């Protein structure tokens, strides 16, 4: 498997705090990688550096062999990187299908002039967008809820809707920030299957997760952060028995 994303000596400071401290790791194309670590370890900040929401103070983000460190977020999306947020960010007063369409619109080519005059090209794009949105809703199992307002979905379904919206941007790489947050066990199992199906479509997955059983089941490779620095990386079984990780993350009372 070749490397899709490569973080090289990435560093981000907030005032005196080094939130991300010289972090390097690779994400192989076609894999499901988990980024784990205690609260405040710097996981979300790493995501914000990848997506251009934050600028790195040092280091580089290489996607498909090119540096994306200085690109604006919309350009990063158009290269094929999509994300979901730790705190759900949906248009709560819009319907479920409209929320997914918002993802499609990130990738549409027609400009606002075309939108004003509704050219044939624009109408074709709208039709294609609707097809993509319906397909992604179906993929995450939310078709029965298509016409509901997003605010009326359960918390777990709102998280799935965020995944559908991210997929509607047609990514090659998707990053999920605590996708199982607020889900019950059954919803989490369903989410793991959905994440595996995403990968089976050829989309590489990087996820942040607190739920250790989820990362153990879903990920092939784990990267562990503590206090902004990478303390371990490897296959889940190895990480689970790494004394440094147990001390930092699982806590000494955990069954490793
Ligand atoms: N925008 C910001 N301004 C100041 N400090 C921040 C900001 N974002 C994150 N931090 C700090 O950086 C550290 C890492 O945060 P974060 O990346 O959210 O951790 P994690 O996602 O692993 O819980 C924390 O100490 C947090 O308070
Ligand atoms: Mg976080």
């Amino acid at each position: 498997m070749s490397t899709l994303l490569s973080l090289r000596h990435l560093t981000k400071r907030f005032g005196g705090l080094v939130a991300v401290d010289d972090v390097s790791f690779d994400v192989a194309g076609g894999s499901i990688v988990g980024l784990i670590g205690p609260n405040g370890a710097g996981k979300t900040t790493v995501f914000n550096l990848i997506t251009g929401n934050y600028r790195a103070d040092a280091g580089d983000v290489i996607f498909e062999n090119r540096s994306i460190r200085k690109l604006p977020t919309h350009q990063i999306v158009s290269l094929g990187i999509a994300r979901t947020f730790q705190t759900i960010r949906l248009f709560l007063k819009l319907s479920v299908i409209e929320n997914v369409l918002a993802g499609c619109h990130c990738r549409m080519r027609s400009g606002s002039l075309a939108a004003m005059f509704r050219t044939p090209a624009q109408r074709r794009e709208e039709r294609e967008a609707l097809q993509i949105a319906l397909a992604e809703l179906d993929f995450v199992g939310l078709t029965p809820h298509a016409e509901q307002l997003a605010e009326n979905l359960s918390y777990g379904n709102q998280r799935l809707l965020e995944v559908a919206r991210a997929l509607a941007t047609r990514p090659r790489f998707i990053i999920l920030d605590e996708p199982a947050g607020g889900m019950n066990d059954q919803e989490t199992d369903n989410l793991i299957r959905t994440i595996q199906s995403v990968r089976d479509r050829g989309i590489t997955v990087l996820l942040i997760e607190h739920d250790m059983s989820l990362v153990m089941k879903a990920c092939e490779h784990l990267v562990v952060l503590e206090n902004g620095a990478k303390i371990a990386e490897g296959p889940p079984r190895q990480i689970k028995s790494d004394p440094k990780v147990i001390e930092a993350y699982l806590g000494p009372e955990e069954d490793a």
Side-chain angles (χ1 to χ4, degrees):
M1 278 192 290
S2 61
T3 298
L4 182 70
L5 178 88
S6 185
L7 304 185
R8 300 197 186 147
H9 304 290
L10 213 53
T11 297
K12 178 67 182 175
R13 296 184 198 91
F14 295 111
L17 174 82
V18 189
V20 176
D21 189 0
D22 196 29
V23 168
S24 300
F25 65 88
D26 289 345
V27 176
S31 61
I32 303 176
V33 175
L35 182 61
I36 66 171
N39 249 330
K43 306 179 297 293
T44 296
T45 304
V46 166
F47 273 21
N48 283 322
L49 292 169
I50 295 171
T51 55
N53 294 82
Y54 292 160
R55 295 286 151 217
D57 293 307
D60 212 346
V61 181
I62 312 287
F63 182 68
E64 295 188 316
N65 301 317
R66 78 180 262 207
S67 173
I68 60 167
R69 180 167 93 98
K70 293 188 171 150
L71 297 183
T73 299
H74 69 90
Q75 224 168 308
I76 291 172
V77 172
S78 69
L79 288 176
I81 299 181
R83 77 173 296 179
T84 65
F85 294 90
Q86 184 173 348
T87 316
I88 291 176
R89 293 191 192 179
L90 291 168
F91 303 109
L92 291 172
K93 297 289 177 191
L94 293 183
S95 70
V96 166
I97 186 72
E98 284 167 330
N99 270 276
V100 188
L101 278 167
C104 299
H105 288 121
C106 292
R107 291 300 294 272
M108 285 172 44
R109 282 175 305 278
S110 304
S112 51
L113 200 65
M116 228 154 87
F117 294 104
R118 292 195 58 81
T119 62
Q122 205 236 347
R123 263 179 267 142
R124 189 169 55 246
E125 273 195 340
E126 293 284 358
R127 264 201 314 276
E128 282 169 12
L130 186 60
Q131 271 165 15
I132 289 169
L134 289 170
E136 297 304 349
L137 263 195
D138 187 49
F139 180 77
V140 301
L142 287 181
T143 304
H145 302 287
E147 303 297 334
Q148 277 178 29
L149 292 187
E151 68 180 359
N152 292 334
L153 291 184
S154 70
Y155 203 68
N157 280 342
Q158 288 186 352
R159 290 227 175 258
L160 287 176
L161 176 53
E162 279 219 317
V163 173
R165 184 176 60 183
L167 289 170
T169 68
R170 319 255 86 188
R172 278 196 285 282
F173 182 48
I174 188 167
I175 64 184
L176 309 171
D177 197 344
E178 302 201 18
M183 286 189 176
N184 63 33
D185 288 353
Q186 195 193 333
E187 288 172 321
T188 302
D189 283 346
N190 173 43
L191 175 76
I192 292 172
R193 282 192 296 275
T194 303
I195 290 170
Q196 285 163 341
S197 310
V198 168
R199 189 268 313 278
D200 293 344
R201 286 166 59 175
I203 301 167
T204 306
V205 181
L206 175 63
L207 63 90
I208 290 175
E209 195 45 72
H210 237 68
D211 181 337
M212 285 304 282
S213 70
L214 184 147
V215 289
M216 291 296 158
K217 275 189 233 165
C219 301
E220 292 130 14
H221 189 84
L222 296 179
V223 176
V224 191
L225 295 185
E226 186 192 19
N227 295 325
K230 184 177 86 175
I231 58 163
E233 130 168 66
R237 241 185 304 149
Q238 180 190 318
I239 292 300
K240 212 178 165 182
S241 55
D242 185 319
K244 262 191 308 207
V245 178
I246 294 167
E247 196 181 324
Y249 185 75
L250 299 172
E253 77 281 6
E254 276 279 342
D255 226 353

